PDB file of all heavy atoms in Angstrom:
ATOM      1  N   LYS A 270      70.008 106.136  91.359  1.00 94.00           N
ATOM      2  CA  LYS A 270      69.495 105.149  90.458  1.00 94.00           C
ATOM      3  C   LYS A 270      70.040 105.281  89.076  1.00 94.00           C
ATOM      4  O   LYS A 270      70.421 104.314  88.398  1.00 94.00           O
ATOM      5  CB  LYS A 270      67.937 105.283  90.374  1.00 94.00           C
ATOM      6  CG  LYS A 270      67.239 104.720  91.554  1.00 94.00           C
ATOM      7  CD  LYS A 270      65.726 104.772  91.416  1.00 94.00           C
ATOM      8  CE  LYS A 270      65.037 104.235  92.680  1.00 94.00           C
ATOM      9  NZ  LYS A 270      63.599 104.306  92.562  1.00 94.00           N
ATOM     10  N   GLY A 316     116.136  89.808  55.574  1.00 87.00           N
ATOM     11  CA  GLY A 316     115.273  90.723  56.232  1.00 87.00           C
ATOM     12  C   GLY A 316     114.497  89.979  57.330  1.00 87.00           C
ATOM     13  O   GLY A 316     114.988  88.986  57.876  1.00 87.00           O
ATOM     14  N   ASP A 335      95.234  95.495  65.138  1.00 89.00           N
ATOM     15  CA  ASP A 335      96.236  96.531  65.208  1.00 89.00           C
ATOM     16  C   ASP A 335      97.612  95.903  65.388  1.00 89.00           C
ATOM     17  O   ASP A 335      97.775  94.957  66.211  1.00 89.00           O
ATOM     18  CB  ASP A 335      95.933  97.457  66.408  1.00 89.00           C
ATOM     19  CG  ASP A 335      96.807  98.711  66.445  1.00 89.00           C
ATOM     20  OD1 ASP A 335      97.576  98.915  65.489  1.00 89.00           O
ATOM     21  OD2 ASP A 335      96.687  99.474  67.422  1.00 89.00           O
ATOM     22  N   ASP A 343     110.848  89.446  68.914  1.00 88.00           N
ATOM     23  CA  ASP A 343     111.800  89.692  67.871  1.00 88.00           C
ATOM     24  C   ASP A 343     111.140  89.407  66.545  1.00 88.00           C
ATOM     25  O   ASP A 343     110.287  88.497  66.494  1.00 88.00           O
ATOM     26  CB  ASP A 343     113.034  88.787  68.017  1.00 88.00           C
ATOM     27  CG  ASP A 343     113.797  89.095  69.295  1.00 88.00           C
ATOM     28  OD1 ASP A 343     113.963  90.289  69.617  1.00 88.00           O
ATOM     29  OD2 ASP A 343     114.209  88.131  69.979  1.00 88.00           O
ATOM     30  N   LEU A 365      98.382  82.880  67.376  1.00 90.00           N
ATOM     31  CA  LEU A 365      98.214  82.901  65.896  1.00 90.00           C
ATOM     32  C   LEU A 365      99.418  82.117  65.294  1.00 90.00           C
ATOM     33  O   LEU A 365     100.547  82.244  65.768  1.00 90.00           O
ATOM     34  CB  LEU A 365      98.231  84.364  65.408  1.00 90.00           C
ATOM     35  CG  LEU A 365      98.211  84.572  63.913  1.00 90.00           C
ATOM     36  CD1 LEU A 365      96.892  84.176  63.329  1.00 90.00           C
ATOM     37  CD2 LEU A 365      98.495  86.079  63.580  1.00 90.00           C
TER      38      LEU A 365
END
Side-chain angles (χ1 to χ4, degrees):
K270 284 184 180 178
D335 188 6
D343 296 316
L365 175 68

